[in-house]
Amino acid sequence: MTAFSLEPAQLAWCAELRALAAERLRPLAEKGEAGRVNRALVAELGRLGLVGRLFGAGALDLCLMRESLAQACTEAETALALQGLGAHPVHAHGTATQRARWLPGVTDGTAVAAFALTEPGAGSDAAALALTAHPDGPGRWRLSGEKCWISNAPEADFYTVFARTTPGAGARGVTAFLLPADRPGLTGHGLDMLSPHPIGALGLDGVPVTADDVLGEVDRGFRVAMGTLNLFRPSVGAFAVGMAQAALDATLDHTARRDAFGGKLRDLQAVSHQVAEMALRTEAARLMVYAAATAYDAGDPDVPRRSAMAKLLATETAQYVVDTAVQLHGARALRRGHLLEHLYREVRAPRVYEGASEVQRGIIAKELYARQEAR
């Protein structure tokens, strides 16, 4: 794996993003309503040009944005990522008409996007989708079924929805549709989650769609989904690295100031070694994320393996680092409103969404054996 380091301009940009997140985005995040889309925050991301950059930048830029924002404001990071995740299929696979209709609003923060893949019975096994597109004449279907744990639902302005167009065909029978939120038969409700993000369920009762709503090709929607996830998986790792770094920074500050047993907490070898381990794992995860993103931008053939490795290592690392930070802070870290109390709730979900850790291990093993057989 190629050694990696950032250029001075990239480092300066990351510092600028952290400052913007602290000064302009975090105040808006704090004013938002728990569990609801924060449209003021999304609009500010648009005004700052960050949403637009998602579509012109590569995977490494996406990772740098997500890591930097996460260090200062996880809500801003997540709002940005969800705009990208929901709208990337339109950017990459949409027609000129679809892109012209929706991408300007996404870019300036006035249109909220959502990626609707997961179902009550098809989460990690995305090929088991049951939401069905029933034929309704030439180039017409009606969508019936459920989607669940969909970020920005039910408040998004449009959804990238994946539905089964060919029964019994597994991954080969799925089609991606661009579904405006005002279509008849589409309903939804919010879900109360551990970390209060805008996440909901959707019900589709004969929702009409036509060939003009297809993203990519009929029965080739699984490629749309996996192409999107291969781009965003390393950046989920970047989000995790940003949270880990925030927890590490807080721990360094706390252990340097906290009086304990006649000295400072950092003077205890057990503590200093834990801090060293936190830093070691965070940096290792960061380098793997950057390497995976660089491989994606270079068009390397082993992107699925590297993306899975980066997402797996970084999210598991962040869980460890945040948990250790809480332990070293003691009870104060469990108080509502403390940074680590916030991170402790935030850090759990990335090990599940966009492919759980177990799924990532399966992808890694599959890719390794495929390479062995090809020799």
Side-chain angles (χ1 to χ4, degrees):
M1 189 171 286
T2 305
F4 192 90
S5 61
L6 294 179
E7 298 292 335
Q10 292 172 309
L11 292 170
W13 183 55
C14 290
E16 180 183 350
L17 286 175
R18 291 193 297 271
L20 284 172
E23 296 166 9
R24 294 179 60 173
L25 299 175
R26 191 160 61 205
L28 291 171
E30 291 171 350
K31 294 177 182 177
E33 182 179 347
R36 301 292 303 273
V37 173
N38 188 332
R39 288 187 177 263
L41 179 60
V42 173
E44 185 66 12
L45 288 166
R47 279 191 289 271
L48 291 172
L50 297 181
V51 183
R53 185 153 182 165
L54 286 175
F55 304 119
L60 180 57
D61 255 14
L62 175 58
C63 287
L64 296 180
M65 281 193 280
R66 295 190 69 175
E67 179 188 346
S68 300
L69 293 178
Q71 287 186 48
C73 181
T74 59
E75 295 91 343
E77 182 284 332
T78 301
L80 178 72
L82 294 180
Q83 286 289 84
L85 186 66
H88 179 266
V90 183
H91 168 72
H93 301 279
T95 64
T97 300
Q98 290 169 334
R99 292 196 298 269
R101 168 67 182 86
W102 291 107
L103 292 184
V106 171
T107 299
D108 66 22
T110 59
V112 173
F115 185 81
L117 176 64
T118 305
E119 298 178 6
S124 296
D125 184 8
L129 293 179
L131 187 143
T132 304
H134 301 281
D136 189 37
R140 305 181 73 85
W141 301 264
R142 287 190 176 271
L143 306 182
S144 295
E146 297 178 81
K147 293 293 181 181
C148 198
W149 300 294
I150 306 303
S151 294
N152 285 344
E155 299 179 66
D157 296 303
F158 72 92
Y159 299 87
T160 296
V161 174
F162 298 88
R164 181 157 303 287
T165 39
T166 300
R172 293 195 173 106
V174 172
T175 300
F177 293 94
L178 194 167
L179 186 62
D182 59 0
R183 287 288 168 88
L186 177 63
T187 59
H189 62 273
L191 299 172
D192 190 10
M193 308 295 286
L194 172 67
S195 188
H197 287 296
I199 297 177
L202 298 173
L204 295 92
D205 184 10
V207 177
V209 290
T210 71
D212 291 338
D213 300 313
V214 172
L215 290 169
E217 301 176 54
V218 174
D219 284 347
R220 298 295 182 89
F222 198 69
R223 292 184 179 182
V224 176
M226 292 304 104
T228 302
L229 293 175
N230 281 337
L231 169 62
F232 277 83
R233 274 176 177 155
S235 73
V236 175
F239 172 37
V241 168
M243 288 190 287
Q245 188 64 54
L248 174 59
D249 290 344
T251 302
L252 285 167
D253 182 64
H254 173 71
T255 55
R257 292 186 295 104
R258 173 70 168 172
D259 293 322
F261 306 103
K264 299 298 182 184
L265 201 54
R266 71 179 184 185
D267 297 330
L268 300 175
Q269 187 180 70
V271 171
S272 63
H273 283 190
Q274 281 183 294
V275 172
E277 184 71 16
M278 293 163 69
L280 171 68
R281 296 196 193 190
T282 300
E283 186 66 9
R286 176 181 286 113
L287 292 173
M288 181 160 279
V289 166
Y290 290 176
T294 303
Y296 183 97
D297 289 340
D300 288 356
D302 59 348
V303 165
R305 176 181 64 87
R306 288 192 173 189
S307 293
M309 284 183 166
K311 200 260 186 186
L312 173 63
L313 179 66
T315 56
E316 295 287 339
T317 293
Q319 183 81 57
Y320 164 81
V321 171
V322 172
D323 186 73
T324 304
V326 169
Q327 193 71 18
L328 292 177
H329 277 74
R332 60 177 42 81
L334 301 177
R335 188 173 181 179
R336 184 72 67 181
H338 193 282
L339 170 65
L340 291 175
E341 179 268 337
H342 170 74
L343 292 177
Y344 199 73
R345 288 183 288 108
E346 288 282 320
V347 80
R348 189 59 184 86
R351 292 173 60 206
V352 174
Y353 64 64
E354 295 188 37
S357 292
E358 292 74 16
V359 170
Q360 305 310 321
R361 291 186 176 95
I363 292 171
I364 294 164
K366 178 182 177 181
E367 293 291 322
L368 289 172
Y369 284 116
R371 289 176 63 191
Q372 182 191 46
E373 292 169 2
R375 290 174 181 169

